Amino acid sequence: MNWKDLHISSANIIGFTLIGVLASTFASFWWSCADGILDVVRAWALGSIFLILGGSITVVSRHYGYGKHLQYYIELTLRVMIVYAIVTTALLKAEGHFYNYTLFDSETKLADLEAQSFANAFYGFSPMFQSYVGYAVLAGLALICFNQTKRIGTLLLGGILINAVMLNISFDSCFVYKNSIYLAIISYFVFNEFPSYFAFFSSQKNAAELGYHPLKNNKHLHNSASLMKMVLLVGLFFYTQDYIKDTKNYRSRNAQSPITGIWNIMDLQFLQSDVPEENKKTIQSFKSIILDKGRYGAVKIDDSLSFFEYLIVPDDNQLEIWNFQDFYDLDIKGRYTQISDDSLVYIGRNNRDSLMITFKKQLDKNRLPDID
């Protein structure tokens, strides 16, 4: 076995293994870290199965002289899979919605932020920055779909993923597991076409023609296939765009609400004299309330936050707060009256306890003061 046969055979076995490992990530959602015990076991199991299967098929294909054919279809399969795996996160970054800077981050001391939360706040603070990264990834995914540009796309994605993995490690992000798998796929593309890369940088054209392509000798079919790839790629982007739009609406469904923001509690009155002392102490400990752009909010107690879910119905001035993280007995429903842009009065009921709260809106810390 010469070095060329050894390279093709090893590339085919590695490619089969990576198909199984990458397929294991499809069982998780795009926002999932997929680094749990079950996820790792699934990756090992599928990777091992495809390793054994790949080794057997590689031996048979080499015996009958189809090693290069197998190499081509393995790489094609992995290119399709990696596009499908990354396109959602790439579009979310391009739209500026993968990282989300929340009002909770602004109310938490920098020293108290966990590494992953700090990274989320850092990138989410500038949607334009993550858009650059998203569009670069989309460009790389598009380039690897075509034979003429796949090497440039591979190098572009490789640089982005190396940076992503290093940042994930630095910020202790759980996404390091997924991004490492993606980087392994891109590294495989480089290894799989190492002779072609060597020919590209050394201008040795003969070495670049060693690979197999089913339409190499039919220019018209090759062009038709490229056009079909363009159509499928654009269709995938538009298909995924609907999901991106739903995610955007979900995360910012209260963004236009007049009472979204951080509100300091200026006055609190209980409208019943028989309110249990425990409930009084709990609610009186609240310093401010945060109503973020999505479905979650938080109350600030000293220097800590306790989260809850909430619903705003602007047409009826209805505000409902429930599912408190630390206070399971609280379930507040009522209506608010906005006195001015920065003050409102909320009259609600916690189970059977009636209360009235006066809020004063906290100024946006990131906004510069107006100058007359």
Side-chain angles (χ1 to χ4, degrees), residues 91 233-243:
L91 282 170
L233 197 59
V234 172
L236 176 63
F237 287 166
F238 276 105
Y239 174 77
T240 311
Q241 189 65 34
D242 289 337
Y243 181 75

Side-chain angles (χ1 to χ4, degrees), residues 60 172 272 298:
V60 174
D172 194 25
Q272 290 177 291

Side-chain angles (χ1 to χ4, degrees), residues 207-223:
E209 302 298 329
L210 296 176
Y212 163 81
H213 194 285
L215 304 177
K216 181 184 294 185
N217 298 322
N218 195 317
K219 182 177 180 181
H220 296 293
L221 283 178
H222 191 279
N223 292 336

Side-chain angles (χ1 to χ4, degrees), residues 177-304:
Y177 178 75
K178 270 187 175 180
N179 285 331
S180 297
I181 293 176
Y182 300 152
L183 181 58
I185 305 299
I186 299 301
S187 301
Y188 163 78
F189 292 155
V190 176
F191 174 75
N192 194 40
E193 290 198 299
F194 182 76
S196 298
Y197 279 98
F198 180 79
F200 178 78
F201 288 108
S202 62
S203 300
Q204 295 181 11
K205 297 183 179 179
N206 292 333
E209 302 298 329
L210 296 176
Y212 163 81
H213 194 285
L215 304 177
K216 181 184 294 185
N217 298 322
N218 195 317
K219 182 177 180 181
H220 296 293
L221 283 178
H222 191 279
N223 292 336
S224 299
S226 298
L227 182 61
M228 181 60 67
K229 288 179 185 178
M230 292 182 186
V231 173
L232 292 175
L233 197 59
V234 172
L236 176 63
F237 287 166
F238 276 105
Y239 174 77
T240 311
Q241 189 65 34
D242 289 337
Y243 181 75
I244 303 303
K245 184 178 179 180
D246 292 340
T247 303
K248 176 182 177 181
N249 293 336
Y250 175 80
R251 287 189 170 184
S252 59
R253 65 179 185 177
N254 289 320
Q256 302 303 321
S257 171
I259 67 170
T260 297
I262 304 173
W263 298 86
N264 294 326
I265 298 178
M266 308 304 296
D267 184 52
L268 172 63
Q269 298 181 27
F270 293 94
L271 305 181
Q272 290 177 291
S273 58
D274 57 346
V275 177
E277 286 298 323
E278 184 177 353
N279 288 357
K280 282 187 177 181
K281 290 182 180 180
T282 297
I283 299 176
Q284 287 173 342
S285 65
F286 298 165
K287 303 300 181 183
S288 61
I289 185 172
I290 302 173
L291 302 177
D292 205 20
K293 295 179 292 184
R295 58 180 288 189
Y296 294 102
V299 289
K300 188 171 185 178
I301 306 171
D302 296 326
D303 291 329
S304 63

